[in-house]
Amino acid sequence: MERFLIYFFPALMDMAFGTIFFLCPMRLAESGARATLVSGIIIAWAIPYIISNQLIGRFINARNAVKMLLGSSFAIAVISICFILVPGPMIQYLWVILSGIAGAFFFAPFQTFMKEFETGSSGLVRSTGLYTFAWSFGLACGPFVSGPVWENYGWKYCHALNIIIGFLCLFGIYFLSKMRKTRRALHDETSASVQKESVNYSGMPDLAWLGWIGSGAGCVVIAIIRGVFPKTATEYGVAVSGSGLALALLSFSQAFTGLFLCFSKKWMYRPLPVGAFGVCGIVSSILFGFGSGTFSYCVAAVLFGIYSGGFFFYLVFHSLVHPSKSARYIAVNEMVVGIGGTAGPFLGGVLSDNVGLGMPYYFSAALISVAVVVQIIAHLQKDERKTLHSV
């Protein structure tokens, strides 16, 4: 039971961040701020997230991961109170910066924490899929819930929900950490049977670098969408609930893609599936550029969620599949996500303000195309070498 219960907490925490990522840019957009200021909210979160991850990555381990998770959960509750008590549109930047630091103390430690509940390569695939599902589903719930709550009760109630989330994570993780000894005993009894059912990935190539290339491009694009889309939707007269629905569908689609991939085995080493996910991202970006209404944006969001679910699963899997390198690779993963989150909104805001509302999305389609071509070529070369060695 604990094996699945742990994924409830990244879902909750990303619901809080999904609310912040939706609420703060929308408030700035409604105040008449330029696209660069609106998209800058994501940058303000990403930069401290990158720096904090590189610092904590040097000393994080299984012993202190729980303390970091508890501190992060408490910090989110306090920061959400600050959003309510000091509500100016521009002061949001300060609270977002602090939330980026708090986020760094949650997600990397959580990946260390969750490894204690899984074993073997089958456990790796399951945990990768469940983790992708959990945080994506939570991120989807942020705008999905906060849009209607804002329209019916006011935006402050959205942050009030985040206060509750912070304390739920605080007490839930504390309770779960006390159950780890029991979970370890069960792990010892079942590990042998799990290993028999596992696929052996030990002889597979190390493709973490391809994950960084593909996910680097994907993270830039998803940050462009999250940073610029509120301005795009506002300009085309899409209601707050409609833009919230589109962003929610993106993350819901991403979540269920990750859940579906729990049943996968070797697609992460094959060029055709990687290319198929890339096509979804390219088509989605083009639709975002041409779209002008809730329905077209929702279709684009679902397609992009399929793409992002694939590249996030690919990223996490290839960073964890080689145990001796996983700690270093996780730190690089978070840096890739953070850099993408910084570069994306900046590029999107500049292109939107100076070229046009559709240009950030066309640029996104081109960027994904380049990354996918590199991945496919690399996979084909790996397959060719494998064939030559087997002759």
Side-chain angles (χ1 to χ4, degrees), residues 295-381:
F295 178 77
S296 60
Y297 289 140
C298 286
V299 173
V302 169
L303 286 173
F304 194 90
I306 294 171
Y307 163 63
S308 59
F311 76 67
F312 276 124
F313 183 98
Y314 188 98
L315 175 71
V316 174
F317 175 85
H318 283 297
S319 66
L320 296 178
V321 71
H322 299 286
S324 63
K325 302 176 182 179
S326 62
R328 183 170 75 254
Y329 285 173
I330 287 173
V332 177
N333 287 358
E334 299 303 324
M335 183 176 68
V336 167
V337 173
I339 291 174
T342 304
F346 174 76
L347 289 170
V350 170
L351 289 171
S352 181
D353 280 339
N354 296 285
V355 183
L357 288 174
M359 186 52 63
Y361 307 110
Y362 306 142
F363 169 81
S364 297
L367 183 62
I368 295 170
S369 299
V370 172
V372 170
V373 167
V374 171
Q375 285 182 294
I376 290 174
I377 291 173
H379 274 283
L380 289 173
Q381 288 177 340

Side-chain angles (χ1 to χ4, degrees), residues 31-195:
S31 72
R34 288 171 59 85
T36 46
L37 274 177
V38 175
S39 61
I41 284 289
I42 308 298
I43 299 174
W45 186 89
I47 290 176
Y49 183 79
I50 296 170
I51 297 171
S52 300
N53 262 298
Q54 297 314 299
L55 293 175
I56 68 175
R58 298 178 181 180
F59 58 85
I60 185 174
N61 54 53
R63 293 187 302 276
N64 59 26
V66 172
K67 293 180 181 178
M68 292 184 185
L69 291 170
L70 296 178
S72 173
S73 300
F74 181 74
I76 287 299
V78 173
I79 292 167
S80 299
I81 293 172
C82 293
F83 270 114
I84 295 172
L85 296 182
V86 189
M90 293 306 298
I91 196 66
Q92 291 181 118
Y93 269 91
L94 175 59
W95 312 135
V96 168
I97 288 170
L98 294 176
S99 72
I101 298 171
F105 277 85
F106 188 89
F107 294 109
F110 181 82
Q111 291 177 65
T112 301
F113 182 58
M114 78 179 188
K115 286 174 68 177
E116 298 187 15
F117 291 81
E118 296 286 1
T119 183
S121 52
S122 64
L124 171 62
V125 172
R126 179 174 55 242
S127 61
T128 301
L130 288 174
Y131 179 60
T132 303
F133 170 77
W135 72 261
S136 302
F137 191 87
L139 203 61
C141 288
F144 185 76
V145 173
S146 59
V149 169
W150 183 359
E151 285 191 337
N152 290 285
Y153 302 103
W155 60 266
K156 289 185 178 181
Y157 284 88
C158 301
H159 290 300
L161 289 176
N162 283 356
I163 298 172
I164 296 172
I165 285 173
F167 284 113
L168 280 174
C169 289
L170 177 68
F171 292 113
I173 291 171
Y174 176 78
F175 172 74
L176 201 59
S177 67
K178 295 298 182 182
M179 301 171 65
R180 280 189 299 174
K181 289 184 179 179
T182 304
R183 179 65 189 90
R184 284 171 181 167
L186 292 173
H187 155 71
D188 292 338
E189 294 175 5
T190 59
S191 59
S193 61
V194 171
Q195 291 293 340

